[in-house]
Short mmCIF file of all heavy atoms in Angstrom, two decimals:
data_model
loop_
_atom_site.label_atom_id
_atom_site.label_comp_id
_atom_site.label_asym_id
_atom_site.label_seq_id
_atom_site.Cartn_x
_atom_site.Cartn_y
_atom_site.Cartn_z
N ALA A 8 239.21 8.62 -72.86
CA ALA A 8 239.33 8.34 -71.43
C ALA A 8 240.36 7.23 -71.26
O ALA A 8 240.42 6.30 -72.06
CB ALA A 8 238.00 7.91 -70.85
N PRO A 9 241.15 7.30 -70.20
CA PRO A 9 242.06 6.20 -69.91
C PRO A 9 241.27 5.00 -69.40
O PRO A 9 240.18 5.15 -68.86
CB PRO A 9 242.97 6.77 -68.83
CG PRO A 9 242.11 7.77 -68.12
CD PRO A 9 241.22 8.36 -69.19
N ASP A 10 241.84 3.83 -69.58
CA ASP A 10 241.23 2.62 -69.03
C ASP A 10 241.57 2.52 -67.55
O ASP A 10 242.72 2.64 -67.16
CB ASP A 10 241.75 1.39 -69.78
CG ASP A 10 241.06 0.13 -69.29
OD1 ASP A 10 239.90 -0.08 -69.69
OD2 ASP A 10 241.68 -0.63 -68.52
N VAL A 11 240.54 2.31 -66.74
CA VAL A 11 240.73 2.16 -65.31
C VAL A 11 240.06 0.85 -64.90
O VAL A 11 238.85 0.79 -64.68
CB VAL A 11 240.12 3.35 -64.52
CG1 VAL A 11 240.32 3.16 -63.03
CG2 VAL A 11 240.71 4.67 -64.98
N GLY A 12 240.85 -0.22 -64.91
CA GLY A 12 240.32 -1.51 -64.51
C GLY A 12 239.19 -2.03 -65.38
O GLY A 12 238.26 -2.64 -64.89
N GLY A 13 239.27 -1.74 -66.68
CA GLY A 13 238.26 -2.23 -67.61
C GLY A 13 237.07 -1.31 -67.81
O GLY A 13 236.11 -1.66 -68.50
N THR A 14 237.12 -0.12 -67.23
CA THR A 14 236.08 0.89 -67.45
C THR A 14 236.76 2.21 -67.79
O THR A 14 237.93 2.43 -67.45
CB THR A 14 235.19 1.07 -66.21
OG1 THR A 14 236.00 1.51 -65.11
CG2 THR A 14 234.48 -0.21 -65.82
N PRO A 15 236.03 3.13 -68.44
CA PRO A 15 236.66 4.40 -68.77
C PRO A 15 236.85 5.28 -67.54
O PRO A 15 235.99 5.33 -66.66
CB PRO A 15 235.68 5.04 -69.76
CG PRO A 15 234.38 4.38 -69.51
CD PRO A 15 234.68 3.01 -68.99
N GLY A 16 237.99 5.97 -67.50
CA GLY A 16 238.23 6.97 -66.46
C GLY A 16 237.57 8.28 -66.86
O GLY A 16 236.55 8.28 -67.55
N ASP A 17 238.18 9.38 -66.50
CA ASP A 17 237.62 10.69 -66.82
C ASP A 17 237.78 11.00 -68.30
O ASP A 17 238.87 10.87 -68.87
CB ASP A 17 238.32 11.79 -66.01
CG ASP A 17 238.02 11.70 -64.53
OD1 ASP A 17 236.95 11.17 -64.16
OD2 ASP A 17 238.85 12.17 -63.74
N TRP A 18 236.68 11.42 -68.93
CA TRP A 18 236.68 11.76 -70.34
C TRP A 18 237.27 13.16 -70.54
O TRP A 18 237.03 14.06 -69.75
CB TRP A 18 235.27 11.74 -70.90
CG TRP A 18 234.68 10.37 -70.97
CD1 TRP A 18 233.85 9.79 -70.06
CD2 TRP A 18 234.89 9.40 -72.00
NE1 TRP A 18 233.53 8.51 -70.45
CE2 TRP A 18 234.14 8.25 -71.65
CE3 TRP A 18 235.62 9.38 -73.18
CZ2 TRP A 18 234.11 7.11 -72.44
CZ3 TRP A 18 235.58 8.25 -73.97
CH2 TRP A 18 234.84 7.14 -73.60
N ALA A 19 238.05 13.32 -71.63
CA ALA A 19 238.61 14.62 -72.00
C ALA A 19 238.48 14.80 -73.50
O ALA A 19 238.69 13.86 -74.27
CB ALA A 19 240.08 14.69 -71.60
N ARG A 20 238.14 15.99 -73.92
CA ARG A 20 238.06 16.28 -75.36
C ARG A 20 239.46 16.35 -75.93
O ARG A 20 240.32 17.08 -75.42
CB ARG A 20 237.33 17.60 -75.58
CG ARG A 20 237.08 17.87 -77.06
CD ARG A 20 236.22 19.08 -77.27
NE ARG A 20 234.91 18.88 -76.64
CZ ARG A 20 234.10 19.87 -76.32
NH1 ARG A 20 234.44 21.12 -76.55
NH2 ARG A 20 232.94 19.61 -75.75
N VAL A 21 239.71 15.57 -76.99
CA VAL A 21 241.04 15.54 -77.59
C VAL A 21 241.06 16.10 -79.00
O VAL A 21 242.13 16.33 -79.56
CB VAL A 21 241.65 14.12 -77.57
CG1 VAL A 21 241.89 13.67 -76.13
CG2 VAL A 21 240.76 13.13 -78.31
N ALA A 22 239.88 16.34 -79.59
CA ALA A 22 239.83 16.90 -80.93
C ALA A 22 238.46 17.50 -81.20
O ALA A 22 237.45 17.02 -80.68
CB ALA A 22 240.12 15.83 -81.99
N THR A 23 238.46 18.55 -82.00
CA THR A 23 237.24 19.12 -82.55
C THR A 23 237.41 19.07 -84.06
O THR A 23 238.37 19.64 -84.59
CB THR A 23 237.02 20.57 -82.07
OG1 THR A 23 236.93 20.56 -80.65
CG2 THR A 23 235.74 21.13 -82.65
N LEU A 24 236.52 18.37 -84.73
CA LEU A 24 236.63 18.14 -86.17
C LEU A 24 235.53 18.89 -86.91
O LEU A 24 234.47 19.15 -86.34
CB LEU A 24 236.50 16.65 -86.47
CG LEU A 24 237.42 15.72 -85.68
CD1 LEU A 24 237.08 14.27 -85.97
CD2 LEU A 24 238.87 16.02 -86.00
N GLY A 25 235.78 19.18 -88.16
CA GLY A 25 234.79 19.85 -88.98
C GLY A 25 233.71 18.90 -89.47
O GLY A 25 233.78 17.69 -89.29
N ALA A 26 232.70 19.47 -90.12
CA ALA A 26 231.60 18.69 -90.68
C ALA A 26 232.13 17.64 -91.65
O ALA A 26 233.11 17.89 -92.38
CB ALA A 26 230.63 19.61 -91.39
N ASN A 27 231.51 16.48 -91.63
CA ASN A 27 231.82 15.37 -92.55
C ASN A 27 233.21 14.78 -92.36
O ASN A 27 233.70 14.07 -93.24
CB ASN A 27 231.60 15.78 -94.00
CG ASN A 27 230.17 16.22 -94.24
OD1 ASN A 27 229.23 15.56 -93.80
ND2 ASN A 27 229.99 17.34 -94.90
N ALA A 28 233.86 15.05 -91.25
CA ALA A 28 235.17 14.44 -90.97
C ALA A 28 235.01 12.93 -90.87
O ALA A 28 233.98 12.43 -90.39
CB ALA A 28 235.75 15.00 -89.69
N VAL A 29 235.99 12.21 -91.33
CA VAL A 29 235.93 10.74 -91.29
C VAL A 29 237.07 10.12 -90.48
O VAL A 29 237.10 8.92 -90.29
CB VAL A 29 235.90 10.13 -92.71
CG1 VAL A 29 234.62 10.53 -93.42
CG2 VAL A 29 237.12 10.55 -93.50
N ARG A 30 238.01 10.94 -89.99
CA ARG A 30 239.09 10.40 -89.17
C ARG A 30 239.69 11.50 -88.31
O ARG A 30 239.58 12.68 -88.61
CB ARG A 30 240.15 9.74 -90.01
CG ARG A 30 241.04 10.71 -90.75
CD ARG A 30 242.05 10.01 -91.57
NE ARG A 30 241.54 9.99 -92.93
CZ ARG A 30 242.24 9.75 -93.98
NH1 ARG A 30 243.51 9.47 -93.86
NH2 ARG A 30 241.72 9.78 -95.17
N ALA A 31 240.35 11.05 -87.25
CA ALA A 31 241.08 11.95 -86.36
C ALA A 31 242.37 11.26 -85.96
O ALA A 31 242.44 10.03 -85.92
CB ALA A 31 240.24 12.26 -85.13
#
């Protein structure tokens, strides 16, 4: 989510990771 005055704006999915993933 973008920062909007110190709080999160609208959330958007940016990645779908497989099981046991440790980074994106």
Side-chain angles (χ1 to χ4, degrees):
D10 184 77
V11 179
T14 61
D17 292 334
W18 292 97
R20 186 173 299 160
V21 295
T23 300
L24 308 174
N27 301 314
V29 295
R30 74 181 99 163

